[in-house]
Amino acid sequence: MESEPAAFIDRTLRAEASEWRTWADGDASVGGLGVYGASVGAIRGTVRDALRRHRGLSHDDITALAAELWAVPVFDRRFAAIVLLQGQVDVLTGKDLTRVEGFLRDARAARLIEPLTLDVVRPLLARLGGAEADRAQRIVARWSISDSESLIVAAALLREPGRRPTPSG
C-alpha cells in the first residue's frame, strides 16, 4: 500500500497525463519504462503540491517517498522522485548515496541519469566535508569502474561538468 504522499503524486500525475505524450511508453528514450504522459511542469508542480500538503517531512520520509516513487517502473514517477530529491538535497547526507546509486543502476534512461547526477549527486557532494566527503568520493570512483553503464555515465558527468555522455542504446 502506498503512502499518502506517493498516492497523491501518482493520482495527480495520471490526471495530468496527455495522451499524445504517452507515445513514448516503452520507447528506448525512456528506457522501456511506462509513461503516464505528464509534462515536466506538471511533475514539478505535483511534487511542490505534495510537499505543501504534507509539510514537515523528515529526511527519512523524503528518502522513503523517493524510493516509493522510484519502485514503480514509470518514467513520470521516477522523474517526480528526482524532482523531490532536487528540492530537498539540503537534507540528504552522504549515506544517501547508496540509495541514489540504486536509482542510477535502475534508471534505464539518460533523461533520468543526467538530472539525478547533476542536480542531486553533484550538489550533495559539494556540501560534504571530512570523512563523509572522502567516503562519497570513493563511492563515485567505484562508479567509474562499475559493471553498470548508468553508473559509469554518472561518474563521467561528475568528472566533466560540461560533458553530457549518454548510455549507448
Side-chain angles (χ1 to χ4, degrees):
M1 184 170 168
E2 281 193 315
S3 68
E4 176 51 39
F8 170 81
I9 291 170
D10 187 78
R11 193 171 50 249
T12 306
L13 292 178
R14 288 175 187 265
E16 291 287 340
S18 171
E19 191 173 316
W20 69 269
R21 282 191 191 95
T22 62
W23 66 268
D25 191 13
D27 186 83
S29 70
V30 291
L33 297 169
V35 177
Y36 292 161
S39 69
V40 171
I43 294 170
R44 290 188 184 286
T46 298
V47 171
R48 183 184 59 243
D49 292 347
L51 290 172
R52 283 184 186 146
R53 284 173 170 250
H54 303 279
R55 293 188 188 280
L57 294 177
S58 69
H59 165 270
D60 291 349
D61 296 332
I62 295 294
T63 57
L65 176 56
E68 197 173 359
L69 291 168
W70 197 274
V72 178
V74 171
F75 178 84
D76 311 62
R77 287 178 60 110
R78 290 184 174 191
F79 196 81
I82 294 169
V83 169
L84 173 68
L85 294 174
Q86 287 170 336
Q88 303 297 312
V89 74
D90 289 344
V91 304
L92 300 179
T93 70
K95 292 178 182 179
D96 295 317
L97 277 177
T98 304
R99 184 180 309 261
V100 173
E101 179 177 332
F103 292 170
L104 285 166
R105 280 186 182 279
D106 191 34
R108 302 188 197 177
R111 291 171 51 197
L112 295 173
I113 296 166
E114 289 180 13
L116 186 55
T117 302
L118 299 177
D119 301 333
V120 178
V121 175
R122 180 178 285 150
L124 172 58
L125 293 175
R127 276 194 14 259
L128 300 177
E132 195 174 40
D134 293 341
R135 179 182 171 277
Q137 290 305 321
R138 284 192 304 275
I139 290 170
V140 171
R142 187 183 71 231
W143 292 357
S144 65
I145 56 170
S146 170
D147 61 351
S148 165
E149 190 171 354
S150 297
L151 290 178
I152 293 168
V153 168
L157 283 167
L158 292 169
R159 278 193 313 274
E160 301 180 40
R163 197 169 145 227
R164 285 204 162 318
T166 56
S168 57

